[in-house]
Amino acid sequence: MSFLNPTLAWAGLLCVMIPIIIHLLMRRRRRPVPWAAMRFIIEAYRRQRRRMNLEQFLLLAARCLLVALVAVAVGKPVLGEVGTIGARGPRTLHLLVDTSLAAGVTPVESQKPESALIKESALAAIDELDAARGDRVSIIAVGAPAQAIVLPPTSEMAAARQIIKDLPQTHARADWSEAMRVLRDALARPEAAGSEQVVGLISSWRSGCFDADSTLPSLGTEAAPAPLVLATPPASTVVDNVGIVAVEPARAVMMAAAAGGGGAEPGGMPVRVLLRRTGPGAASTATTMLSVRAVPASGRGVPGEEARQVVQWNAGQDEVQTFVTISPPPVDRSTSEERPGVFVVASIDADSLPPDNRAIAAVQIRERLDVALVVPPGGNASLAAGGDLSSYQPHDWIALALSPRGDFSLRRRQSGELRVQIVDPQQGIAPSVKAGGAGRGAGVLGGIDAVILPRPDLLEPAAWRAVREALDAGALVVLTPPIGEATQRWTEEVRSSLGIDWSIARDVTLLETPSTCAPGSASAGLLGQIASELPELARSVTVTRLLEVRPGSEGMDTLLVDASGRPLVVATVAGAAGEATPRRGTLVLFASAVDLAWTDLPARPLMVPLLQELVRQGISRGVGMPAMAAGMPLSALMPAEAADLERVPAVSGETEGPRVVGIPARGATPTPLRTAGGWLVRSAAGVTLGTLAVNADADASSVAVATREQLAKWLEPSSSRVEWATWGQASGSEGAVAGGRVAGSAASDRSPPVSLPLLLAAGVIGLLELAFARWFSHANRDAFGTRGGPSKGATPA
Amino acid sequence: MTTDPTVDDQARRTRPPEADASIYLHPQTLARLASFELRAKMIVEGLSTGTHRSPFQGLSVEFAQHRAYAPGDDLRHLDWKVFARTDKLQIKQHQQETNLDLVVLVDASGSMAYGSRSFEDASGEGIKTSYDGRAQWSKFDHATAVAAAIAYITLKQGDRVGLAVYADEIRALVRRSSSQGTWRQIVGALSVHPVDPQNRSRQTHLARTVDQVLGKITNRCIIAIVSDFFVEVDEFRDALARFKHAGHDVIAFQVLDRDEEEFDFADAAPFEGLEGEAALRIDPRSLRAAYLEAFRSHQSAIERIARGMGFDYQRVSTHEWLGPTLAAFVARRNAVMKHKGR
């Protein structure tokens, strides 16, 4: 038997000797009483000896039992369950082992991660099983996504022990719900009916180890009631933790120098870093040293210069956001053909939970961005001819805004960061056989980062498919209504071809009075870099014609609106694409044509920064993949030709896990990445297609101590029989000691931490002892008494 | 005259034991007993005339009966008046009155050393300890008081009193005498032959004692046995039977302590016998009922045997004043004898 409070229990059990010691001491202390009528005492003693011995034995037994019961009640034993495995038939123990991020915390005083203690508890639980009797064990690792390591249960205890020892620690959250669903399915199988099922939940139960707001599924089914659930008590050791919640470079695309290979971003790239801290230390002021640097994703080459910054925490502040400007590493021309980009690595001082002290973000390095302006031949004649402003077509304004300092002759290739190509909408636009983000290949739009469609009405269905292909591959697509069309028939084609569910009016709305312009609700996204100036710039813009656009179920990002709140510039929501429509790129729709007859935007100062920022940020959004949290399924935005992932050790730190992870074909269950790190996305041919940054799940990094009440309430839906249990050594867990396991009802744990039934039994024994003592002492009998009066001591007066 | 009790105690201890007789015969007891006479239930053989009937009938004052003359009778006893009236020879017989001999047997065995009453309370003179330093008034002390009292009233009515202090045998003896110094001799003998504190294991041997007593007494006497009678019932019965067979009158004074009668102890402790019994660790409360049952059964048997043989039995408690007890006893005894016409 083992106890929840074994120290108290064993100390109490030692107290059983107290009545015996008192008895012995009393025997020694008493002086003999001289007595004359000894013959009558001897006669009475001879007649009563057996009864008196029995009475004394019963009295001593009752007193010892009383002390023992109180001790055991305080210790809170596990009775009749796993602690007495073997007393009944074979049992199957299902171990749900917490391998989540927060379970890996290392309290300062213990010098041993709690994950190691969790494994020790699991091993001790296995040690209590007896394979010879038919006991079996199954193991489910709950680090997201939950993984059935050993299921169906096995009787190979040695193998199970080895599996426990080799269980890798993840940087993901704990997925108890999925683990219990998997377990419930296993319990529902017919073979589970042969033995008694017991579920062991082994965790340190810090706040990050479980989501108290979630609802656990019940382990019971219609066929079988929920089994007994034994949960280890929550850790009580208080620790502090500071973690990096997010690292977000201003853009996912970083411009390299056209010459010289040095950093080209003027002044470097700003990187937003969000830090969070938990634990009692959050109540006081503190500082954290933050280091950010860019590391070549290939793992080769020279890292960029490290930017260091001291982050100040105010008392009570648990989140802080800071911006660090970094410079990119020198571009290695010898390996730049694969354009792997760089990882922006942010790290802070070591603390109790190392995995969240480092976070990375993937950034691509580009020498230029290719923009396709789809206009009919001769469309930019007026611009090239240097005509007056009234003769400018929308694409002229767009070209001018995209390349204000460049050569106006767009027929020629341009130099600079943005290279604009003129593409004839009626010739040469067709879907390519091969498409992909960074490695886009053949086709007219292949390799294009942004497609601008001032004349969508001219596109053939094949051209729409090519545009869709570019959009899916991550390109930015900008649509503006054609001028001079009273009825915009292309809007239906946009909805069907590009897979959006917006409602776009076919008829142009003529505004009686020009309406001014204002930033939309989502302007901080794509236009975040000019957000501070946007209200001022937008105020001078007026609109006289527009197409009314309304969002669908996917929603839309409204970047600019008119005075009545009607959307003027809208974009698809990042990440809104589903598995069926793996749209990586961003679609931007201007509700008003870029023409002076519709709006004076082309002539306003907003025009250039608006288009420049839309193109740069829109392309950034489609390039690569956003950083994901460990344990999340691989993004649906993974390039179709991606075959495997290769870990980049230079940015991944010393983490366990495989070096190469295969990617199943689309439609199959994606392989989860449970540990943080930087990965190269490779094709089957070994070509690097991009980069993937995986960070520790910041939402699961809270190391705050959970209370038993919280935990008991959270565990309640899983089973009606939930009890605390501690196997083996679990220092840091309240009341847990090596070799002992104690349980009490989790529900009853809200009451004083004692076993109430045992305490009740102790009370009954106590009453029995009182009755025995009174009855056996004959204090209440005076049938032979000659006179009343108080009893005297052993020495006669 | 000093009033310091300590000085009194010290002074008393330097006096001879006989001087302590006043401790055992309290003035109030004397006052109670002064008007009583101790009468013999049976006919005693006295050396001088007294208040007690003698078995010898002859020349005496009190006529008893006539009987037919038989050859050899002393012609001095012929009742000539009857012969003159009836012409029959009748011998006149007279009841001879004689003196009473009282022999007091005081038990000095180990069990008599027990006492729970304070000496100061029982002595009634503010004396806190006995001459040998005891603070408790033992059963032997009480037995001494009983012996002193009945000796006093016997001597007072002119009868002879003797004393035997016994345990396993007679330890001290005072020959029968009616002289005035006898009482002090008796008390002195009881004082110098108390229960031996160095040899508490001395057991009672009543049969041997009876043998020795009967060997020393030739005439019929009143035998007053003052003891706790913690002996076997059969031994007690045999002792009384032998006294009865010898024609003696026996008065059994059973001296008991209140603790022995109530056994009202609370704490478990080893109880050690005063007559050599081994110590026994008991819980008094759990054993009380059985103890009292055995004790009272024994006490009843003692009383039943004594009364069954026509003897008097009187229980005397060390916690009770002796005067009323003895006065009631003597009065009851005299009343019974008067009722029987003796």
Side-chain angles (χ1 to χ4, degrees):
Chain A
M1 185 195 296
S2 46
F3 301 90
L4 186 62
N5 304 313
T7 307
L8 287 176
W10 291 118
L13 287 175
L14 283 177
C15 291
V16 170
M17 291 192 295
I18 289 178
I20 301 171
I21 292 172
I22 289 176
H23 179 70
L24 294 176
L25 288 178
M26 293 293 283
R27 288 177 69 91
R28 295 184 59 186
R29 275 182 51 202
R30 293 291 182 188
R31 287 190 309 169
V33 178
W35 187 248
M38 199 65 193
R39 62 172 56 242
F40 308 113
I41 288 184
I42 293 172
E43 182 181 342
Y45 179 75
R46 283 176 182 159
R47 282 158 52 183
Q48 303 287 328
R49 181 168 52 193
R50 293 184 63 180
R51 182 182 63 82
M52 284 172 57
N53 287 342
L54 178 64
E55 288 175 356
Q56 290 194 353
F57 173 77
L58 286 176
L59 206 55
L60 183 65
R63 286 167 180 167
C64 292
L65 188 60
L66 173 63
V67 175
L69 278 175
V70 171
V72 173
V74 172
K76 300 193 74 177
V78 176
L79 297 173
E81 300 300 343
V82 174
T84 54
I85 279 177
R88 294 187 238 168
R91 300 203 180 189
T92 302
L93 176 63
H94 303 278
L95 287 177
L96 274 60
V97 183
D98 188 358
T99 55
S100 68
L101 172 66
V105 69
T106 306
V108 176
E109 58 270 25
S110 75
Q111 303 296 324
K112 196 174 188 181
E114 288 177 352
S115 56
L117 301 177
I118 288 172
K119 286 185 179 180
E120 287 177 9
S121 294
L123 293 175
I126 293 175
D127 288 343
E128 290 190 4
L129 300 174
D130 184 3
R133 193 180 39 236
D135 292 347
R136 295 182 301 164
V137 62
S138 72
I139 300 169
I140 299 176
V142 297
Q147 188 179 12
I149 308 292
V150 178
L151 199 68
T154 180
S155 58
E156 296 290 336
M157 300 303 171
R161 285 179 56 86
Q162 192 58 45
I163 287 171
I164 290 290
K165 290 177 182 174
D166 295 341
L167 267 184
Q169 192 66 21
T170 73
H171 300 157
R173 68 183 62 198
D175 192 358
W176 293 100
S177 297
E178 178 61 22
M180 289 198 176
R181 273 190 282 271
V182 171
L183 180 58
R184 184 178 58 191
D185 294 343
L187 292 173
R189 291 176 189 150
E191 54 267 30
S195 63
E196 187 168 354
Q197 309 292 314
V198 179
V199 179
L201 310 181
I202 305 180
S203 172
S204 56
W205 302 115
R206 297 200 175 267
S207 294
C209 293
F210 68 103
D211 182 5
D213 296 330
S214 65
T215 302
L216 286 178
S218 171
L219 290 173
T221 59
E222 293 180 356
L228 171 71
V229 173
L230 298 174
T232 54
S236 58
T237 312
V238 174
V239 294
D240 291 321
N241 179 49
V242 180
I244 302 176
V245 177
V247 176
E248 295 174 354
R251 291 195 180 92
V253 177
M254 207 169 185
M255 304 309 297
E265 258 329 292
M269 174 184 281
V271 177
R272 172 180 169 268
V273 181
L274 182 61
L275 302 177
R276 183 185 296 158
R277 62 175 179 170
T278 55
S284 57
T285 59
T287 58
T288 300
M289 176 59 72
L290 171 67
S291 303
V292 186
R293 67 162 56 181
V295 178
S298 63
R300 300 180 295 271
V302 182
E305 186 179 348
E306 185 179 67
R308 297 172 69 86
Q309 184 170 327
V310 176
V311 179
Q312 295 284 347
W313 297 92
N314 297 325
Q317 185 179 20
D318 56 1
E319 271 195 2
V320 65
Q321 172 180 270
T322 186
F323 289 90
V324 180
T325 302
I326 62 166
S327 56
V331 175
D332 184 355
R333 300 287 182 188
S334 63
T335 59
S336 62
E337 72 277 0
E338 294 179 356
R339 296 194 297 179
V342 296
F343 285 113
V344 176
V345 182
S347 58
I348 57 174
D349 308 329
D351 60 11
S352 61
L353 190 59
D356 69 347
N357 295 340
R358 172 193 289 260
I360 60 177
V363 174
Q364 283 201 1
I365 303 289
R366 292 289 185 83
E367 293 187 37
R368 64 174 184 274
L369 299 174
D370 292 316
V371 180
L373 189 60
V374 182
V375 293
N380 62 337
S382 56
L383 185 63
D388 60 356
L389 292 178
S390 61
S391 64
Y392 275 26
Q393 298 294 311
H395 54 267
D396 293 326
W397 293 112
I398 292 171
L400 192 59
L402 290 177
S403 185
R405 291 173 299 177
D407 188 349
F408 283 170
S409 176
L410 296 179
R411 294 277 176 200
R412 289 184 294 166
R413 294 178 68 85
Q414 299 175 348
S415 62
E417 296 174 2
L418 290 180
R419 189 175 66 179
V420 182
Q421 299 179 43
I422 304 298
V423 177
D424 186 348
Q426 295 173 329
Q427 292 184 2
I429 297 183
S432 64
V433 177
K434 182 180 178 184
R440 286 190 293 271
V444 175
L445 298 181
I448 295 297
D449 296 305
V451 180
I452 300 177
L453 301 170
R455 293 297 304 272
D457 55 320
L458 300 180
L459 264 61
E460 298 296 330
W464 278 114
R465 288 198 296 276
V467 170
R468 170 65 190 268
E469 190 176 83
L471 182 65
D472 289 350
L476 168 73
V477 175
V478 179
L479 280 166
T480 66
I483 57 176
E485 296 287 336
T487 301
Q488 307 281 334
R489 294 188 178 86
W490 56 273
T491 56
E492 285 301 321
E493 196 67 37
V494 167
R495 286 166 50 89
S496 60
S497 300
L498 301 188
I500 59 173
D501 60 352
W502 299 344
S503 170
I504 308 172
R506 299 179 65 179
D507 297 326
V508 177
T509 302
L510 295 175
L511 304 179
E512 293 179 357
T513 58
S515 177
T516 56
C517 188
S521 59
S523 59
L526 284 174
L527 303 178
Q529 296 293 311
I530 59 169
S532 56
E533 298 89 4
L534 190 59
E536 185 64 30
L537 292 171
R539 192 178 301 133
S540 62
V541 178
T542 58
V543 179
T544 53
R545 299 183 186 184
L546 56 82
L547 293 176
E548 292 202 3
V549 183
R550 290 190 178 85
S553 60
E554 286 184 6
M556 64 183 183
D557 286 345
T558 305
L559 305 179
L560 288 176
V561 295
D562 73 346
S564 303
R566 285 182 288 247
L568 287 180
V569 180
V570 295
T572 51
V573 179
E579 183 67 26
T581 58
R583 189 180 61 229
R584 299 175 56 205
T586 301
L587 172 66
V588 175
L589 172 64
F590 280 69
S592 180
V594 187
D595 187 83
L596 294 175
W598 290 55
T599 173
D600 60 356
L601 171 66
R604 296 298 179 187
L606 175 62
M607 181 65 183
V608 172
L610 176 64
L611 272 184
Q612 289 275 339
E613 200 55 31
L614 278 178
V615 168
R616 289 171 187 269
Q617 206 62 31
I619 292 173
S620 288
R621 193 188 266 188
V623 169
M625 286 164 287
M628 54 180 282
M632 297 293 110
L634 276 185
S635 170
L637 302 180
M638 187 71 70
E641 58 270 44
D644 60 30
L645 300 168
E646 180 185 359
R647 181 188 292 276
V648 182
V651 298
S652 301
E654 297 176 357
T655 53
E656 301 173 356
R659 178 169 171 77
V660 176
V661 175
I663 299 175
R666 190 173 296 278
T669 304
T671 305
L673 295 174
R674 293 186 171 86
T675 54
W679 299 81
L680 294 179
V681 183
R682 300 189 305 190
S683 67
V687 177
T688 302
L689 303 176
T691 54
L692 176 64
V694 180
N695 292 321
D697 193 335
D699 292 336
S701 66
S702 172
V703 296
V705 174
T707 64
R708 293 192 181 201
E709 289 74 17
Q710 289 176 329
L711 192 54
K713 185 179 178 185
W714 179 71
L715 288 172
E716 216 167 50
S718 63
S719 173
S720 59
R721 294 187 296 156
V722 181
E723 295 181 356
W724 299 123
T726 302
W727 293 275
Q729 187 178 30
S731 63
S733 292
E734 185 179 344
V737 163
R741 183 180 53 69
V742 181
S745 166
S748 65
D749 200 58
R750 296 164 196 155
S751 59
V754 294
S755 174
L756 290 181
L758 285 175
L759 209 57
L760 193 63
V764 171
I765 294 295
L767 292 175
L768 203 60
E769 192 273 340
L770 285 176
F772 279 174
R774 184 163 180 79
W775 180 256
F776 295 160
S777 70
H778 306 264
N780 58 335
R781 301 182 192 177
D782 200 23
F784 298 94
T786 54
R787 63 177 174 84
S791 296
K792 62 183 75 174
T795 305
Chain B
M1 179 177 176
T2 177
T3 56
D4 187 349
T6 309
V7 175
D8 277 353
D9 281 358
Q10 191 66 31
R12 188 173 54 80
R13 287 177 191 177
T14 60
R15 286 182 292 175
E18 304 90 289
D20 286 345
S22 59
I23 297 174
Y24 300 106
L25 199 55
H26 198 274
Q28 292 176 353
T29 305
L30 287 179
R32 286 269 188 177
L33 299 177
S35 60
F36 289 103
E37 290 181 347
L38 189 64
R39 290 172 176 271
K41 275 188 176 178
M42 74 311 180
I43 300 169
V44 295
E45 299 166 351
L47 296 179
S48 59
T49 55
T51 59
H52 312 289
R53 292 174 301 172
S54 169
F56 307 113
Q57 295 174 348
L59 298 176
S60 181
V61 177
E62 187 176 353
F63 170 77
Q65 63 183 357
H66 287 101
R67 70 168 172 85
Y69 169 80
D73 284 342
D74 191 348
L75 293 177
R76 290 180 298 174
H77 294 160
L78 275 176
D79 190 340
W80 296 108
K81 290 181 181 178
V82 172
F83 179 72
R85 285 199 301 268
T86 63
D87 204 20
K88 290 181 180 177
L89 290 174
Q90 294 286 333
I91 294 296
K92 191 163 59 178
Q93 291 184 319
H94 293 84
Q95 185 69 44
Q96 185 178 20
E97 289 187 349
T98 183
N99 281 3
L100 164 69
D101 278 4
L102 172 67
V103 177
V104 183
L105 300 183
V106 177
D107 184 2
S109 65
S111 63
M112 293 297 284
Y114 184 81
S116 61
R117 189 181 184 186
S118 73
F119 198 93
E120 183 181 16
D121 177 40
S123 65
E125 291 188 352
I127 301 169
K128 292 183 178 177
T129 58
S130 66
Y131 77 95
D132 54 355
R134 287 179 289 108
Q136 262 71 43
W137 178 262
S138 68
K139 291 192 289 185
F140 185 79
D141 290 327
H142 214 63
T144 300
V146 171
I150 58 176
Y152 175 80
I153 58 175
T154 304
L155 288 170
K156 190 185 171 197
Q157 64 195 35
D159 293 328
R160 296 194 303 168
V161 177
L163 171 74
V165 180
Y166 77 95
D168 50 349
E169 59 184 0
I170 292 177
R171 293 287 173 179
L173 191 67
V174 175
R175 293 189 178 277
R176 285 169 285 169
S177 170
S178 60
S179 65
Q180 291 304 310
T182 305
W183 188 77
R184 284 202 174 274
Q185 288 179 25
I186 288 172
V187 175
L190 289 169
S191 300
V192 297
H193 296 283
V195 180
D196 186 1
Q198 304 302 323
N199 189 14
R200 278 187 171 179
S201 62
R202 191 190 296 163
Q203 296 182 344
T204 310
H205 204 308
L206 195 56
R208 185 186 298 166
T209 305
V210 169
D211 283 343
Q212 292 175 337
V213 169
L214 289 178
K216 296 178 184 300
I217 301 175
T218 55
N219 59 329
R220 297 183 188 183
C221 301
I222 297 179
I223 309 293
I225 309 175
V226 188
S227 169
D228 54 12
F229 296 120
F230 288 168
V231 294
E232 295 297 329
V233 171
D234 291 339
E235 185 181 358
F236 178 74
R237 179 186 296 112
D238 290 346
L240 291 200
R242 296 184 66 183
F243 280 132
K244 183 178 179 65
H245 183 262
H248 299 297
D249 185 11
V250 176
I251 304 172
F253 288 101
Q254 187 172 20
V255 181
L256 297 173
D257 191 89
R258 191 168 67 190
D259 281 350
E260 292 168 342
E261 294 180 278
E262 297 183 355
F263 201 56
D264 195 10
F265 296 94
D267 300 334
F271 281 69
E272 189 176 35
L274 292 176
E275 295 188 2
E277 299 95 336
L280 187 63
R281 178 176 296 279
I282 59 163
D283 180 4
R285 292 195 298 181
S286 66
L287 210 60
R288 181 167 182 257
Y291 167 88
L292 291 178
E293 185 181 354
F295 179 83
R296 288 171 185 173
S297 171
H298 182 271
Q299 187 184 0
S300 301
I302 295 293
E303 182 176 2
R304 189 172 59 249
I305 288 169
R307 295 193 190 282
M309 293 186 183
F311 299 148
D312 278 337
Y313 167 87
Q314 178 62 45
R315 185 188 64 82
V316 182
S317 174
T318 57
H319 283 68
E320 295 173 359
W321 286 108
L322 194 56
T325 304
L326 278 182
F329 168 73
V330 174
R332 185 168 63 249
R333 178 182 168 93
N334 290 344
V336 169
M337 290 177 64
K338 190 174 183 180
H339 176 70
K340 289 182 178 178
R342 294 177 181 177

